[in-house]
Amino acid sequence: MTMTMTIGRRGLLGSLATAGMLQATLPWDLALAQGTPGTNLRIGMTASAVPLPNGMPDQGAEGHRFMGITLYDHLVAWDLSVSDRPAPLRPGLATEWHTDPADPKRWIFTIREGVKFHDGKILDAEDIAFSYDRCFKNDAPHYDARGSAQVRSRMPTISRWYAEGPRIFVIETSVVDSMVPYGATWVGITHRGAWEAAGRDNDRMLNQPVGTGPFKLESFSFRERAVLVRNPDHWEARRIPKLGRVTLIPLPEANTRVAALRSSQVDFIEAPPPDSIPSLRQAGFQIVTNQYGHNWTWHFSLRDGSPWRDIRVRRAANLAIDREAMKGMLAGTMLEGGGLVPVGGPWNPVRSPRLAYDAAAARKLLTAAGITPRTPLRTKVAISASGSGQMQVLAMNEALQQQLKDVGIEITFEVFEWNTLLSTWREGAGVPAVRGCDAINVSYTALDPYTAMIRLLKSDLVPPRANNWGYLNDPGYDAIIERIYQTFETAAQDALIKQLHDKVLDDALFLFVAHDMNPRAMSRQVKGFVQAQSWFQDLTPISL
């Protein structure tokens, strides 16, 4: 369900003042989640529903954070154990991987020995093949269409996959593709026996999933909660959880999450509103932040009829944004938008002057394009009311709306539920579901070259194949990306990725607004959490 909306400030700043008001709005009695003292971590998520426990969860990357890497393991994993540097890849269910020296389109993964599924089955390469069938083989009886919608775009070049004996799994690609290990972090591994035990029914399997992850699913209610319990037999000793249980509770409204934390009905919340942070600290709650690969943008349509096809309009919009003021509004819980990745590091080493705040220069560009405050450009943008990585989405978009109006661009918003907005993003600009919007506000993971840039820019990765929502079709981008695909040496690849990112900044392909600092608030009883420089986080070190 969507509605056309021009956001007003009064509506943005309303909050729940008492726990009594909280109880009237929560979907279920949170007292039921108390569990055994000291063993149950209760988390207030930003999502409006519990992510699907199918190994390929919905609800964006937040779903993968809470229901993907908890219940399941993957061929390749992220090292989430450190906070002082970006999370690197590490071995998961594969102990090593490499391309075939005789054929660089053939990736060979060596499968870890002795790993047990939650039901006691020992992992082998056929289980990996079965799980990849669920994602990519449309005619397989166990194909999971909902899960595939979340994962297929992560590995667009995959063409064939198979087991070669119990310890070797092979992925073949249609072109040489150095990005394959990153894609392998998204496919949760289960086995055929688990699917058959669920009556060969993917819907029934939601209530009895079987992975190899550090947690098992105890109960699942889509709109209310999920309870995960400790897997004491996890193959990686350091990731055997210190908690007995984790209860996941969907609380999409930011002030509701804060009220739940203050009233001791949850222990840990995602994305507290910035104006609540000082008082939460004063009351003794922990506030944790860290930079990570994330960008918060408007993704412009470049299809015929879109006003954003004019580079002058795109550049003007970027010049019209006061990112420093936005940072102040968010109490420092963001970095000023520097592109498709935060400033710093080899891909975006210095801040671009093209992203300076200069309203006069913006007006000059718009005047040249025939746009003034008296003859404004009027256009619509698709946004969500909440959601994973969307930060304080209504307040931020209201600020953008006012700043753009000041230079002659008048914005109205089409507001979508988060999961619906993601579906609209996957369908592409110009489809009826987008309701005439010429831009969409979806925050992106920027963990690796593919998720940060390639899937958004390559001409053959338009929906439904991947996330080139705006239908960019530029041979210059494609040529750089092809070279990145074929380059495996790190320094050479980094230089090409920087070249690609510089071109994105030159062309102002997005409205670059912010990079999230990923704030979380938690009770003083929560111990051991390490906030990695990643969209994903490891719950296993936490104790109460």
Side-chain angles (χ1 to χ4, degrees), residues 307-308 313 366 371-372 375-379 408-411:
W308 304 110
V313 177
L366 290 171
I371 298 166
T372 70
T375 58
L377 165 65
R378 294 184 174 93
T379 186
I409 301 174
E410 294 189 0
I411 301 294

Side-chain angles (χ1 to χ4, degrees), residues 280-334:
L280 285 170
R281 279 200 176 106
Q282 188 174 16
F285 293 98
Q286 303 176 69
I287 305 295
V288 183
T289 63
N290 205 350
Q291 68 182 53
Y292 71 121
H294 168 279
N295 61 84
W296 195 100
T297 69
W298 287 1
H299 195 156
F300 296 136
S301 170
L302 302 177
R303 302 192 77 159
D304 289 343
S306 170
W308 304 110
R309 284 174 61 88
D310 190 328
I311 192 172
R312 297 170 298 183
V313 177
R314 299 196 303 270
R315 286 177 173 167
N318 274 289
L319 290 168
I321 301 308
D322 188 344
R323 296 167 183 84
E324 184 177 354
M326 180 84 76
K327 183 176 181 178
M329 183 184 80
L330 297 180
T333 59
M334 61 163 269

